[in-house]
Each structure stands twice: as structure tokens, then as C-alpha cells.
Amino acid sequence: MDLQEIAAFYRAYIDCLNRQDWEDLHLYVSRDVHYNGKSLGLHGYEAMLVEDHRSIPDLYFKIERLVCEPPMIASRLWFDCTPAGTLFDLPVNGKRVQFSENVFYEVENGRIRNVWSVIDKAAVAAQLSGAESSLGEGT
């Protein structure tokens, strides 16, 4: 994939996640996908995403930054959501929280093969404790 193709591929993948179109997930994710170094496989990856949507009913992946250098994709995703119970072992219980995820993807044979993710859990903890977070959208 060239630069435009990989960017369009990634945007279509994020759209698939936002639509919760699990039947089409295989179009974007390899059967032997790894997440943060752990082999999940397509079914394990899908199960993780389904659970994310179950625990965060209004989950929406917003691309804030996107940098592509095929076969690599780097993205900063923004979330503004109301998790139903706990999030990152924190008792959110329906409170609206905002946080970012910095994630790298490696595409192999037209599918995402490796995902490395770092989620700003400290921003959620700060919001729950009433402290102001300095990591707002666009910063």
C-alpha cells in the first residue's frame, strides 16, 4: 500500500470499529494479530473490541492525529465517553471521561498484524479525582 492507500485503509478500519461491524473486521485485521506483544488472533482481538463496546456503550474512535509510513501507521485516538462500570480498573460508573490513546499498527499482507497501544489512564484517574487534566483534545 502506498501512503494514500494505507491512510484510507486505516480510516475504513476505524469506521468498521465505530459501526461495530464485526463481520467485516477480517478485512482489516490479520487472523494472527498481536496486541502489545501478545498473540490474540482475530477472534481474541474481536472479543476485546466487543467487550470494550459492551462496557462503554457510547464508545467512538475519533482520529485526532494520523501519520503513515507504509507499512506502519501511527495514530492518536480521542475518546469522549461514559463507561458503564470500571475503566482501566477505575470506578467510572457512568461518569463522562475523556482520554487519548497513542497507537502504532504494522500492516502485513493488507491486514493489521501488530498493534502497540498506550492509553492515557492517568487522564481518566485525574478526572475521577476532580483534578484538571492537562491532556485535553487538541493538545
Side-chain angles (χ1 to χ4, degrees):
M1 285 187 230
D2 67 19
L3 185 61
Q4 286 74 30
E5 291 169 332
I6 203 166
F9 166 84
Y10 183 69
R11 291 180 194 285
Y13 162 72
I14 293 296
D15 182 58
C16 178
L17 299 185
N18 285 330
R19 288 184 287 113
Q20 301 179 54
D21 186 356
W22 311 129
E23 288 185 20
D24 280 351
L25 188 62
H26 73 281
L27 299 174
Y28 306 99
V29 178
S30 172
R31 286 189 319 228
D32 57 348
V33 65
H34 289 72
Y35 180 81
N36 285 344
K38 181 180 177 185
S39 177
L40 294 184
L42 178 58
H43 294 295
Y45 193 75
E46 178 182 334
M48 177 184 71
L49 292 166
V50 167
E51 177 59 23
D52 289 345
H53 279 276
R54 186 200 63 73
S55 61
I56 309 170
D58 61 347
L59 182 62
Y60 182 82
F61 295 76
K62 179 182 176 191
I63 301 171
E64 189 176 76
R65 302 277 187 269
L66 178 59
V67 177
C68 299
E69 186 175 311
M72 301 300 295
I73 300 167
S75 181
R76 176 181 165 104
L77 298 171
W78 183 253
F79 301 94
D80 183 345
C81 56
T82 50
T86 60
L87 180 67
F88 317 130
D89 297 322
L90 298 167
V92 179
N93 299 321
K95 181 176 179 175
R96 178 180 172 215
V97 293
Q98 299 174 324
F99 60 95
S100 64
E101 175 183 16
N102 295 304
V103 61
F104 291 87
Y105 304 84
E106 182 178 29
V107 177
E108 183 179 283
N109 297 320
R111 305 283 187 278
I112 295 169
R113 173 74 161 71
N114 289 295
V115 181
W116 298 274
S117 166
V118 177
I119 297 173
D120 186 2
K121 298 173 185 178
V124 175
Q127 290 166 69
L128 294 176
S129 71
E132 289 296 317
S133 173
S134 63
L135 299 175
E137 184 175 8
T139 47

